[in-house]
Amino acid sequence: MTESPAARVWYPYTQMLDLAPPLEIVRGDGAWLEARDGRRYLDAISSWWVTLHGHAQPRIAAAIAAQAARLEQVILAGCTHPGAEELAQRLVALTPAGLNHVFYSDDGSTAVEVALKMAVQCWQQRGQPQRREIVALEHAYHGDTVAAMAVSAPSPFTAAFSDWLFPVHRVHTAYCHRCPLGLQRATCHLDCLDSLEQLLRQRGDHIAAVIVEPLLQGAGGMIVQPPEFLAGVRRLCDGAGVLLIADEVLTGFGRTGTMFACEQAHISPDIMCLSKGLTAGFLPLAATLCRDEVYAAFLAADRRRTLFHGHSFTGNPLGCAAALASLEVFANEPVMERIGTIAAGHARRLARLRQHPRVGDARQAGTVAAIELVDDDDGYLAGIGPRLQRFYLEQGVLLRPLGTVLYVLPPYAISPSELDFVWDVVAASLDQVH
Ligand code: PMP
């Protein structure tokens, strides 16, 4: 291996040997990133799905700077600060009905850990301690910490730790392109819900919660589910008295075309996880929201009933200031229109590419569009992924296929012509990269 001068950083998710040196990015503006050598790259993945309005968005940058000069951090156990309080109120008003309590943490994985611990401890304290089991979907991804890996589907990400991961009930997801039952969406009756229904019938009173990525399973391959599937999961959870956790870490804040994906199924979960776009991608911050019934289980004078989960930077004032500034951008700029324009642009280009012989499936949820290639070698480690990524970078576009799944997930600042450029490059890759 040739030593790169920057080789003190251990880069995540990065091939260690024969690796191209990482791009050194020194500046960002709108949908663009600028490297040290002056080359510019269109960030068509919103830098790991976090950047919402654009890089270095001035209103958010200014809000963080002003907050840093006022109060950079305070412990959130026994203290609070105006940003944490105001953000909680805004999130409760914005999210689906009934999610009235906001527990802060640091990132998507910790938001999920908190949700799982909340669910299990809640049942213990509600007199049903046998409800400790969790149900998750095939192809799920919920993060890289240990409990988040346990609820994620087995994959190369989790393989080295399989014996550490607590057992989880795994049920079908609505992956229509590769239907687990071999059916067609046009004629099926969402029969994929049957496996959850059966499990809840047999084991419902031992189950604490079902966790889902609503509408869009991200790292599992940008799998888009019909909203009726999510509505069906909610109905089955209600029937069995089981909590529903919606992991909106990726889907929150407009990604799927509505502020939250749950809105499209007209449902409200019992617990919701938010991160990534929460701060418009400026700072790590997460929130786990829950309903009164969950919160009430922790309302006790007995200190053992506390939810003992607190990270050093829980509710960090800089993160809260960024999140509040992002919500101001939503309120004062035509963000939902931008989202609609991106969605329409994706739809137009997907319609053209759908006929390409290498395209097995083309799917979309709002600002997220994906193409699944026809390839013998599928899964995250498919050899084509790194070759495509290299091609895209040569063309000036930052894209990171998930194995044979190419996806475009841009910041909302992207213009129609910039988005067309991304799709031109994707279209060229289908003909040129094998
Ligand atoms: N949940 C979902 C749905 C995600 O997509 C991710 C991150 N890709 C996570 C959780 C974990 O978030 P983080 O990487 O911030 O820990």
Side-chain angles (χ1 to χ4, degrees):
M1 186 172 90
T2 51
E3 277 269 313
S4 115
R8 291 292 177 269
V9 177
W10 187 337
Y11 304 103
Y13 282 64
T14 301
Q15 194 176 333
M16 302 287 272
L17 209 55
D18 303 326
L19 111 141
L23 284 178
E24 195 180 351
I25 302 297
V26 293
R27 200 167 287 112
D29 180 20
W32 292 92
L33 294 168
E34 186 183 318
R36 182 171 289 287
D37 64 6
R39 281 204 67 186
R40 282 169 25 103
Y41 298 87
L42 241 177
D43 183 358
I45 52 167
S46 299
S47 285
W48 246 337
W49 321 344
V50 299
T51 309
L52 275 199
H53 309 296
H55 287 285
Q57 208 278 354
R59 188 194 287 257
I60 302 170
I64 295 169
Q67 181 64 49
R70 213 163 38 240
L71 174 71
E72 83 301 344
Q73 166 67 348
V74 67
I75 180 172
L76 209 71
C79 295
T80 188
H81 60 88
E85 299 301 321
E86 189 185 341
L87 180 59
Q89 283 183 17
R90 301 285 301 270
L91 291 176
V92 167
L94 210 57
T95 49
L99 297 165
N100 292 335
H101 307 275
V102 179
F103 193 103
Y104 291 114
S105 63
D106 300 351
D107 51 51
S109 303
T110 57
V112 167
E113 301 266 340
V114 169
L116 296 170
K117 288 169 77 171
M118 226 179 227
V120 168
Q121 192 176 338
C122 153
W123 285 119
Q124 253 174 47
Q125 295 174 182
R126 280 164 81 174
Q128 295 195 52
Q130 83 287 356
R131 282 194 188 263
R132 298 182 61 76
E133 298 169 15
I134 303 289
V135 183
L137 300 183
E138 291 165 350
H139 304 284
Y141 176 83
H142 295 286
D144 287 348
T145 54
V146 176
M149 282 199 292
V151 289
S152 300
S155 77
F157 309 158
T158 63
F161 313 100
S162 52
D163 56 331
W164 281 10
L165 307 181
F166 61 77
V168 163
H169 299 284
R170 189 75 53 193
V171 296
H172 288 329
T173 189
Y175 188 178
C176 301
H177 175 57
R178 294 172 187 264
C179 174
L181 302 168
L183 303 174
Q184 299 291 325
R185 178 66 195 114
T187 47
C188 82
H189 302 283
L190 286 173
D191 309 70
C192 49
L193 280 168
D194 292 354
S195 65
L196 175 61
E197 185 170 12
Q198 216 168 53
L199 172 70
L200 292 179
R201 202 177 310 124
Q202 287 166 359
R203 192 100 197 130
D205 56 357
H206 284 76
I207 289 170
V210 176
I211 183 166
V212 299
E213 293 159 88
L215 283 199
L216 176 70
Q217 292 184 293
M222 296 297 164
I223 297 164
V224 179
Q225 307 156 343
E228 298 78 22
F229 176 78
L230 179 58
V233 172
R234 173 75 274 184
R235 181 172 38 78
L236 293 174
C237 287
D238 283 341
V242 165
L243 298 173
L244 174 60
I245 302 172
D247 174 355
E248 292 237 18
V249 166
L250 163 60
T251 52
F253 302 99
R255 273 292 164 212
T256 67
T258 45
M259 200 61 174
F260 299 99
C262 285
E263 293 168 28
Q264 293 181 49
H266 311 290
I267 64 126
S268 184
D270 301 289
I271 300 178
M272 179 187 265
C273 305
L274 300 175
S275 187
K276 290 196 186 280
L278 172 60
T279 62
F282 272 68
L283 285 165
L285 180 73
T288 304
L289 283 78
C290 73
R291 289 177 172 277
D292 294 343
E293 299 88 308
V294 175
Y295 181 76
F298 295 85
L299 270 181
D302 183 346
R303 293 178 67 196
R304 286 170 300 185
R305 288 186 165 220
T306 305
L307 179 60
F308 284 110
H309 193 110
H311 296 284
S312 312
F313 289 100
T314 289
N316 172 255
L318 303 177
C320 292
L324 285 166
S326 172
L327 295 181
E328 285 301 303
V329 176
F330 271 102
N332 293 302
E333 297 185 22
V335 178
M336 295 316 286
E337 281 88 332
R338 285 174 197 151
I339 288 170
T341 305
I342 294 168
H346 281 336
R348 199 161 15 88
R349 298 303 298 256
L350 283 183
R352 269 197 246 161
L353 287 175
R354 195 165 269 126
Q355 308 311 324
H356 195 286
R358 290 188 71 196
V359 174
D361 189 33
R363 45 188 185 248
Q364 181 185 356
T367 70
V368 184
I371 284 176
E372 186 165 336
L373 296 178
V374 180
D375 199 299
D376 297 337
D377 182 16
D378 57 13
Y380 181 78
L381 297 178
I384 185 101
R387 290 200 291 280
L388 284 164
Q389 192 177 342
R390 221 170 299 130
F391 175 85
Y392 297 137
L393 283 180
E394 283 160 15
Q395 308 299 314
V397 179
L398 181 59
L399 281 169
R400 268 179 108 252
L402 293 158
T404 52
V405 177
L406 324 179
Y407 68 92
V408 181
L409 192 162
Y412 304 155
I414 197 166
S415 70
S417 60
E418 288 165 346
L419 187 60
D420 265 329
F421 170 61
V422 173
W423 280 112
D424 289 345
V425 170
V426 171
S429 74
L430 297 182
D431 297 321
Q432 294 176 36
V433 184
H434 289 272

